[in-house]
Amino acid sequence: MSNLYMEVDDEALAEAAAILGTKSKKDTVNAALHEVARRRKRLEALERLVEMGDRGDFDVLLDKADYRR
């Protein structure tokens, strides 16, 4: 990908760098982009778990007689 210039909110960048533990602008922006993608994947996985719970897929876990020791 080519280098392109864009204006970035310096205050938001500094806050993101502090949270992400990054040093350079490039590392901060890349880490933030990766974090957004990972958060979306986690949200989608959580939504699938909720659907499974709503279907009763985990109901067997409610009966302690079914627990393995």
Side-chain angles (χ1 to χ4, degrees):
M1 187 178 286
S2 66
N3 290 333
L4 85 126
Y5 174 80
M6 67 175 70
E7 287 191 33
V8 176
D9 180 327
D10 288 333
E11 190 174 316
L13 185 70
E15 187 173 357
I19 292 167
L20 296 167
T22 53
K23 302 287 183 207
S24 71
K25 288 182 180 183
K26 178 180 176 181
D27 287 346
T28 302
V29 170
N30 285 330
L33 293 172
H34 287 290
E35 180 61 25
V36 168
R38 285 191 301 268
R39 283 178 184 242
R40 174 53 120 183
K41 289 177 184 173
R42 287 191 301 267
L43 178 59
E44 290 169 353
L46 181 58
E47 289 170 349
R48 287 191 301 273
L49 283 171
V50 168
E51 290 170 4
M52 291 172 71
D54 288 345
R55 280 195 312 260
D57 292 357
F58 304 113
D59 288 356
V60 68
L61 300 174
L62 298 174
D63 185 357
K64 291 186 180 181
D66 288 335
Y67 285 0
R68 284 196 240 172
R69 284 200 162 278

